[in-house]
Amino acid sequence: MVFWDGYVSDETMGTFAPIVLYWIYGGIYQLLPPLDRFRLHTRQEEAQKNLATLPCVVKGVLLQQFFQATVAQLLFLITSKTNLGGPTTQPSIFIQLIQFLVAMFVMDTWQYFVHRYMHQNKFLYRHIHSKHHSLIVPYAIGALYNHPLEGLLLDTVGGVLSFLISGMTARTAVFFFCFAVIKTVDDHCGLWLPGNIFHLFFQNNTAYHDIHHQLQGLKYNYSQPFFSIWDHILGTHMPYNLVKREEGGFEARPVKGWKEE
């Protein structure tokens, strides 16, 4: 039993709940006071380095979410008729947990290799992926600021594969996609807040992804959104230290001599 029973279908929730949650969670971060003592970059850096304006970012994210919602509706329509998405009755909590972990691994694997290729292919980086990196200083609601083609290939297709391969139901998918969205937004929030649960349980977190958005880390720390497994296996992990800045806040700084380790 879930709170939306009798009001909307699991398929509708799976389509629109992650979008609504993106703006709620990202909006909370956006509306917080400056919190300079927890920032990974100063407000001056954000204003000077970022190449995309806030209105441009909002429009870009909404465009991606439009395509995302369209594909999700088609996916749920097809799987509900062919039963490709698994049984309509909910499996046990244990089975759902396994499906969650499988979906996380599938999404991580897909996004790592597509993301890495977009950096290695100069044409794709220049014309597609560089749009996301125009936010050199990431912030929460810019998490899904991508070229529409990247949003389709990286995020939407990755979500489709995670759903199909894991065999989860549409109801389980509601929780999985909402969790993935919250994690992605948090990774881009630009704040190192005490007690943040994602910082406690995931090595792949706000500081880890911040390294990737900086010039020295462009070809490292590709892993997203959950674990850093592929970076470690394939030699693209850039270790860092989180150090306090004299003027307040923190800086994710690559470990000296890490290439020789």
Side-chain angles (χ1 to χ4, degrees):
M1 179 69 70
V2 288
F3 70 86
W4 62 84
D5 261 343
Y7 298 98
V8 295
S9 67
D10 294 335
E11 290 79 8
T12 300
M13 282 295 290
T15 300
F16 295 105
I19 294 174
V20 173
L21 195 57
Y22 179 93
W23 292 105
I24 292 175
Y25 193 63
I28 290 172
Y29 271 119
Q30 196 70 21
L31 295 174
L32 285 174
L35 299 176
D36 290 333
R37 62 198 181 103
F38 300 115
R39 292 177 64 97
L40 295 178
H41 297 272
T42 65
R43 284 177 286 168
Q44 290 76 17
E45 281 183 284
E46 182 178 321
Q48 293 170 2
K49 292 183 177 181
N50 285 351
L51 305 177
T53 64
L54 181 59
C56 183
V57 168
V58 170
K59 290 177 185 177
V61 173
L62 287 172
L63 179 62
Q64 173 169 332
Q65 290 177 330
F66 169 77
F67 289 116
Q68 174 186 315
T70 302
V71 172
Q73 283 287 278
L74 289 172
L75 172 67
F76 286 132
L77 178 64
I78 294 170
T79 55
S80 64
K81 290 184 176 181
T82 62
N83 205 34
L84 287 174
T88 54
T89 55
Q90 284 296 97
S92 67
I93 296 297
F94 177 74
I95 295 299
Q96 290 182 69
L97 178 60
I98 297 300
Q99 291 172 334
F100 236 79
L101 292 173
V102 170
M104 291 167 77
F105 177 75
V106 170
M107 183 173 283
D108 270 2
T109 301
W110 175 262
Q111 292 205 6
Y112 175 86
F113 287 101
V114 174
H115 185 195
R116 181 173 178 174
Y117 185 67
M118 284 189 172
H119 276 270
Q120 293 177 330
N121 184 296
K122 293 181 179 179
F123 178 86
L124 288 179
Y125 184 82
R126 184 181 302 114
H127 297 284
I128 306 295
H129 189 52
S130 61
K131 182 171 183 176
H132 182 70
H133 280 276
S134 65
L135 296 181
I136 298 171
V137 178
Y139 53 84
I141 63 173
L144 293 183
Y145 179 61
N146 301 312
H147 187 284
L149 182 59
E150 177 181 352
L152 180 64
L153 288 176
L154 193 68
D155 299 312
T156 306
V157 174
V160 169
L161 291 173
S162 299
F163 173 71
L164 293 176
I165 294 174
S166 68
M168 61 176 53
T169 63
R171 179 162 296 185
T172 304
V174 174
F175 296 100
F176 174 71
F177 290 134
C178 285
F179 176 62
V181 160
I182 291 175
K183 177 66 169 60
T184 300
V185 170
D186 206 87
D187 287 349
H188 290 81
C189 73
L191 294 171
W192 193 261
L193 295 173
N196 185 319
I197 193 169
F198 293 116
H199 298 167
L200 297 174
F201 289 97
F202 290 91
Q203 183 188 40
N204 189 346
N205 51 42
T206 310
Y208 187 92
H209 193 66
D210 181 77
I211 285 286
H212 175 72
H213 271 259
Q214 307 314 308
L215 182 61
Q216 73 270 31
L218 275 178
K219 294 184 178 180
Y220 300 93
N221 293 14
Y222 296 116
S223 292
Q224 57 184 51
F226 300 112
F227 306 111
S228 56
I229 296 171
W230 289 112
D231 276 323
H232 283 283
I233 292 175
L234 297 176
T236 54
H237 171 248
M238 178 181 277
Y240 64 90
N241 290 319
L242 198 63
V243 298
K244 285 191 174 183
R245 292 194 307 265
E246 290 185 5
E247 65 271 30
F250 297 91
E251 178 186 350
R253 187 178 298 170
V255 173
K256 290 183 179 180
W258 66 273
K259 289 182 180 180
E260 289 75 36
E261 291 179 356

